[in-house]
Amino acid sequence: EYVFYRELKKLHNDFLDHYDEDKFQGPEQISKSLDEIFNFYYKTKSLHAKRRSLARFLSFGKSLSRRKLYSQARRCFELMQQDKSKYLLDATFEVMWTYIAENKYKKALAVTNKTIQDKKLDITQNSKLQFWLGHTYKKIGQDKLASEQFKNVIKYNPLSYYAITSSKVLSESGHKNTEDIYYENLHSTQIRKIASKNLQVNHIKRAILWNKVFLNKFFNAEVGYFQTLPIEDSSTNILTTAFYLSKEQLYLESFKLLYKSINNHSLKVSKNTLQLLYPRPYLQQVTKKSGYFDPIIALSLIRQESGFNKNARSHVGARGLMQLMPATARQFKRKLKNKHLYNPNINITIGTKYFKNLMDKYDNNLVYSLAAYNAGESRVDRWQEDYLNSDSILRNIENIPYNETRKYVKLIFRNIFFYKMLLEKNINDPTDLNKLYDLHLGFNS
């Protein structure tokens, strides 16, 4: 299996190298070379590990799409759609995306809806596919169907990047603000109080203790008991446990509890939930240090980078709240020792300076700046010309070639939205989607 996979990967990479180096003699040679790849795959298909080979075609198809070889990319994605696999929804989105990139919105809808119907796909949990389906309906003037898709994104995926983007689009189409639209389209009713006569105090105390001494088995047993209670009592006890975890500065543990409880339906998404998922330690420090850029950006970065753990260290050696590499930090403080990066004040001071430099370099374009913070400036400099050159911020984010960086940028935008909503900042933004949440993103029109 590995031998054939390695050969398939080599054929994919050789094709891309030839294209990037302008070695093809025209469309016919491109088509012939691609035919050779598909012929090799079909002849050896029984000898491939299905999951791995389909993942390879997904990656290859995306690479073709980013090079604007849309019809060639569709061949890869359509191959993936022949068998029902874990990549079927991904392939369905990517086919739709190639038509959207060509501004062929009616074709995008026709092909996507046919696949959903023929394959009997449940897209409720795929917020990306749902959002762009709504976007495509909107582009061809079917506003009612578009609105239904956007509302379903919020309903079924309330904590996703696409839920907040859907709220934003819906607010521009009507007269309500984004916050009201978000809350009224949640799947569940809000729980207004974190007080209950059925508060399980002893279970909560034991859960906190087990967590602090890293005995997850016992912690899970205590929390598991809450799921046996009626939904409102269950939610109250989970929220209270998460609250006390946060008070002990065990923010990541609090987040994990909340996400797990939401996913297993023992907790509803509400304003109370969001307040615990988006705590505000270090807000005062980042407000002092961030200078002219919005301190909410820095707070959102810290939440994503370290989960507010000042002692966090990544596998590559990034340290502290803003996950700074020592070499990067020393550009701003020469005699810095690695251990200094665990000091919140030093880490925030250096991290905000570094991010300010990125914002200056990229003309306050937040997409470029966040991508560079995650993937490095040299990569973003290469991506700007080839991939991140749309007037639409939404398209640029989708076109970030690294999956990790693309996901990272989306999560930061999501964090910014929820922080601004919970801090009751003005989120009635201009109608241009390139200006989100009071932030200038480098598009000067």
Side-chain angles (χ1 to χ4, degrees), residues 377-391:
E377 295 170 58
S378 59
R379 290 192 180 100
V380 173
D381 292 344
R382 293 197 305 271
W383 295 344
Q384 282 185 70
E385 185 176 349
D386 296 327
Y387 308 135
L388 311 183
N389 50 21
S390 171
D391 288 336

Side-chain angles (χ1 to χ4, degrees), residues 303-421:
R303 185 192 185 278
Q304 208 57 44
E305 290 286 352
S306 64
F308 303 106
N309 178 6
K310 65 182 180 181
N311 297 314
R313 178 174 176 175
S314 75
H315 67 281
V316 296
R319 291 165 164 83
L321 291 173
M322 297 188 73
Q323 286 293 277
L324 298 170
M325 293 296 290
T328 302
R330 288 191 185 99
Q331 297 175 24
F332 301 90
K333 190 176 177 67
R334 283 188 183 180
K335 295 182 179 180
L336 180 86
K337 294 182 179 179
N338 290 354
K339 66 179 181 180
H340 293 159
L341 290 175
Y342 297 119
N343 180 303
N345 189 55
I346 293 173
N347 193 284
I348 290 171
T349 299
I350 296 173
T352 50
K353 281 183 181 178
Y354 175 48
F355 194 76
K356 179 182 180 299
N357 282 8
L358 293 176
M359 293 283 277
D360 288 341
K361 175 177 179 176
Y362 295 114
D363 187 29
N364 296 324
N365 186 306
L366 189 58
V367 175
Y368 294 166
S369 301
L370 290 172
Y373 196 90
N374 178 261
E377 295 170 58
S378 59
R379 290 192 180 100
V380 173
D381 292 344
R382 293 197 305 271
W383 295 344
Q384 282 185 70
E385 185 176 349
D386 296 327
Y387 308 135
L388 311 183
N389 50 21
S390 171
D391 288 336
S392 164
I393 185 175
L394 299 176
R395 287 199 185 189
N396 280 335
I397 290 173
E398 295 294 355
N399 283 332
I400 294 172
Y402 279 16
N403 182 55
E404 178 190 333
T405 304
R406 186 169 60 252
K407 183 178 179 181
Y408 176 85
V409 171
K410 290 176 183 179
L411 289 173
I412 299 296
F413 271 101
R414 180 202 65 178
N415 294 353
I416 291 168
F417 173 86
F418 282 125
Y419 273 124
K420 283 189 168 289
M421 189 170 78

Side-chain angles (χ1 to χ4, degrees), residues 58-72:
L58 178 62
S59 175
F60 182 49
K62 287 181 177 180
S63 296
L64 294 173
S65 184
R66 284 192 288 269
R67 288 163 174 79
K68 297 180 172 57
L69 296 171
Y70 298 120
S71 61
Q72 293 85 349

Side-chain angles (χ1 to χ4, degrees), residues 29 80 158 177 337 357 423:
Q29 194 175 4
M80 297 172 64
N177 66 40
K337 294 182 179 179
N357 282 8
L423 287 166

Side-chain angles (χ1 to χ4, degrees), residues 152-178:
N152 281 336
V153 174
I154 304 168
K155 179 178 179 180
Y156 292 109
N157 300 276
L159 298 178
S160 70
Y161 157 80
Y162 295 101
I164 61 104
T165 312
S166 294
S167 302
K168 173 78 176 140
V169 175
L170 286 168
S171 75
E172 291 171 348
S173 305
H175 303 290
K176 292 185 178 180
N177 66 40
T178 316

Side-chain angles (χ1 to χ4, degrees), residues 189-394:
T189 331
Q190 292 185 61
I191 296 165
R192 298 185 177 180
K193 298 179 180 179
I194 307 186
S196 171
K197 60 183 179 183
N198 294 320
L199 200 63
Q200 304 294 318
V201 177
N202 290 332
H203 285 282
I204 293 169
K205 286 181 177 179
R206 286 196 295 268
I208 304 298
L209 178 62
W210 295 133
N211 195 286
K212 289 175 74 173
V213 295
F214 309 109
L215 290 173
N216 290 332
K217 180 180 178 181
F218 296 106
F219 172 78
N220 291 333
E222 298 292 349
V223 172
Y225 170 73
F226 300 148
Q227 295 176 27
T228 67
L229 303 173
I231 183 63
E232 188 154 339
D233 290 332
S234 172
S235 299
T236 297
N237 283 279
I238 291 167
L239 288 168
T240 305
T241 305
F243 171 77
Y244 282 106
L245 286 170
S246 293
K247 281 197 73 174
E248 296 287 342
Q249 298 185 352
L250 299 169
Y251 296 105
L252 277 176
E253 289 77 4
S254 176
F255 299 161
K256 288 175 185 176
L257 171 60
L258 293 168
Y259 285 129
K260 183 179 179 180
S261 301
I262 290 165
N263 290 335
N264 66 26
H265 308 296
S266 55
L267 178 66
K268 301 174 183 179
V269 175
S270 67
K271 190 168 186 177
N272 292 330
T273 318
L274 293 173
Q275 285 171 338
L276 288 168
L277 282 170
Y278 294 90
R280 298 180 285 279
Y282 307 109
L283 178 58
Q284 188 175 354
Q285 291 95 315
V286 297
T287 301
K288 288 180 180 177
K289 301 292 184 181
S290 59
Y292 79 91
F293 75 84
D294 195 326
I296 295 301
I297 302 173
L299 191 66
S300 298
L301 273 170
I302 292 172
R303 185 192 185 278
Q304 208 57 44
E305 290 286 352
S306 64
F308 303 106
N309 178 6
K310 65 182 180 181
N311 297 314
R313 178 174 176 175
S314 75
H315 67 281
V316 296
R319 291 165 164 83
L321 291 173
M322 297 188 73
Q323 286 293 277
L324 298 170
M325 293 296 290
T328 302
R330 288 191 185 99
Q331 297 175 24
F332 301 90
K333 190 176 177 67
R334 283 188 183 180
K335 295 182 179 180
L336 180 86
K337 294 182 179 179
N338 290 354
K339 66 179 181 180
H340 293 159
L341 290 175
Y342 297 119
N343 180 303
N345 189 55
I346 293 173
N347 193 284
I348 290 171
T349 299
I350 296 173
T352 50
K353 281 183 181 178
Y354 175 48
F355 194 76
K356 179 182 180 299
N357 282 8
L358 293 176
M359 293 283 277
D360 288 341
K361 175 177 179 176
Y362 295 114
D363 187 29
N364 296 324
N365 186 306
L366 189 58
V367 175
Y368 294 166
S369 301
L370 290 172
Y373 196 90
N374 178 261
E377 295 170 58
S378 59
R379 290 192 180 100
V380 173
D381 292 344
R382 293 197 305 271
W383 295 344
Q384 282 185 70
E385 185 176 349
D386 296 327
Y387 308 135
L388 311 183
N389 50 21
S390 171
D391 288 336
S392 164
I393 185 175
L394 299 176

